[in-house]
């Protein structure tokens, strides 16, 4: 049974959509404001989010942005406005689709099915990264080094995924921050160095003499297959 998080502050709409989705075999969890939505997203672990834009506490734009920091789960935005600028903004924030109220039951169900189908197809195409001695499962979010599983934090995992995705490519601190933290990061670029140190402590045989996560002096970091060209 697929799980849908419905984020909507209109109780009438919530009741009608919940009945519809339950009838179609979906498990539904409801949040009535943006803060509750983010909390329930982490607890409920949905397969898809139906997200209204005009919400109390945090609006739908902000909720979408926060979810995208931690997950690629499909998001369909719900809005009373049929304006091109809103649709473009929603898609830039990371939404997968956009539906304008009022909408018919058949249209909504078709959008949900199409988005879930695309998402599952994307997962099947790119759910693992294998770059010896690393193996990453992007769905289960697990990492193995030489066959042994290691536990990484969310950002450690994302940094390693970025490095392994392009062996030998140099990633500057600014590039890593943009990909992992986003455009609105206000901290110190040296935060990247801290996460790299923590990552090395978990995946390198000797963190003081790394073989895989290599510092490129005055530039940034890269993933080096094998043990050549090592620098600390």
């Amino acid at each position: 049974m697929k799980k849908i998080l419905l984020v909507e502050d209109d109780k009438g709409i919530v009741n009608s959509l919940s009945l519809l989705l339950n009838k179609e075999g979906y498990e539904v969890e409801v949040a009535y404001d943006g803060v509750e939505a983010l909390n329930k997203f982490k607890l409920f672990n949905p397969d898809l989010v139906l997200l209204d834009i005009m919400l109390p506490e945090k609006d739908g734009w902000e909720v979408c942005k926060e979810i995208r920091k931690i997950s690629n789960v499909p998001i369909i935005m719900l809005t009373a406005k049929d304006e091109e600028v809103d649709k473009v903004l929603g898609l830039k924030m990371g939404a997968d689709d956009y539906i304008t109220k009022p909408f018919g039951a058949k249209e909504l169900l078709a959008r949900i099915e199409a988005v879930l189908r695309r998402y599952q197809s994307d997962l099947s195409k790119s759910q693992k990264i294998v770059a010896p001695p690393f193996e990453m499962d992007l769905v289960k979010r697990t990492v193995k080094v030489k066959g042994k599983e290691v536990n990484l934090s969310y950002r450690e995992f994302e940094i390693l995924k970025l490095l392994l995705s392009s062996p030998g490519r140099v990633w500057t601190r600014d590039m890593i921050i943009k990909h992992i933290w986003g455009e609105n990061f206000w901290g110190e670029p040296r935060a990247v160095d801290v996460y790299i140190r923590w990552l090395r402590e978990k995946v390198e045989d000797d963190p003081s003499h790394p073989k895989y996560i290599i510092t490129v002096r005055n530039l940034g970091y890269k993933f080096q297959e094998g043990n050549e060209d090592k620098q600390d």
Side-chain angles (χ1 to χ4, degrees):
M1 181 182 290
K2 295 291 185 182
K3 300 190 294 184
I4 293 179
L5 175 61
L6 172 58
V7 187
E8 169 65 65
D9 62 333
D10 186 316
K11 292 187 177 181
I13 294 177
V14 166
N15 290 337
S16 61
L17 289 183
S18 295
L19 287 172
L20 172 67
L21 295 171
N22 286 149
K23 184 179 178 182
E24 293 297 317
Y26 295 105
E27 180 182 351
V28 180
E29 183 68 34
V30 176
Y32 292 96
D33 64 59
V35 173
E36 184 182 19
L38 292 172
N39 290 334
K40 287 195 172 180
F41 181 85
K42 296 171 184 176
L43 295 172
F44 186 56
N45 193 27
D47 298 291
L48 180 140
V49 180
L50 290 177
L51 178 59
D52 188 30
I53 292 176
M54 303 303 292
L55 294 168
E57 305 295 337
K58 286 180 181 284
D59 64 26
W61 308 127
E62 187 65 24
V63 174
C64 181
K65 182 179 174 182
E66 290 297 317
I67 288 175
R68 279 292 169 261
K69 291 180 180 179
I70 59 173
S71 174
N72 290 321
V73 163
I75 299 173
I76 298 178
M77 305 293 285
L78 311 176
T79 181
K81 298 180 179 180
D82 189 17
E83 297 181 6
E84 189 69 22
V85 64
D86 285 335
K87 293 180 180 179
V88 172
L89 181 57
L91 295 173
K92 283 186 175 180
M93 288 287 187
D96 296 270
D97 204 350
Y98 198 105
I99 188 166
T100 304
K101 303 174 188 176
F103 46 79
K106 289 184 178 180
E107 180 185 6
L108 177 63
L109 293 174
R111 297 282 187 99
I112 290 172
E113 291 172 7
V115 168
L116 285 173
R117 189 163 53 245
R118 287 200 304 269
Y119 181 64
Q120 292 301 321
S121 176
D122 290 343
L123 285 180
S124 65
K125 291 177 183 176
S126 58
Q127 60 183 0
K128 285 190 176 182
I129 296 177
V130 179
F134 298 92
E135 182 177 330
M136 302 188 77
D137 189 314
L138 305 184
V139 177
K140 296 178 181 178
R141 294 189 67 82
T142 58
V143 178
K144 290 183 178 179
V145 183
K146 299 178 181 178
K148 182 178 179 180
E149 189 166 325
V150 295
N151 294 318
L152 302 182
S153 70
Y154 173 79
R155 287 202 169 94
E156 290 167 352
F157 185 96
E158 292 299 310
I159 291 172
L160 183 61
K161 180 175 75 172
L162 188 66
L163 296 174
L164 296 190
S165 67
S166 301
R169 176 179 178 178
V170 178
W171 296 87
T172 67
R173 292 178 181 85
D174 287 342
M175 291 165 65
I176 293 172
I177 286 171
K178 182 178 179 180
H179 278 80
I180 308 302
W181 279 268
E183 297 280 0
N184 297 321
F185 177 73
W186 293 103
E188 281 288 329
R190 290 288 176 178
V192 172
D193 300 347
V194 175
Y195 277 93
I196 290 290
R197 186 178 76 246
W198 291 342
L199 187 53
R200 282 171 169 167
E201 288 173 354
K202 294 180 179 181
V203 304
E204 296 277 3
D205 295 326
D206 182 356
S208 63
H209 296 86
K211 295 191 296 183
Y212 308 114
I213 301 174
I214 304 301
T215 300
V216 180
R217 203 173 303 279
N218 298 322
L219 288 176
Y221 299 98
K222 69 177 180 178
F223 166 61
Q224 178 70 43
E225 293 180 293
N227 61 358
E228 297 83 16
D229 190 30
K230 61 181 180 179
Q231 304 175 44
D232 56 21

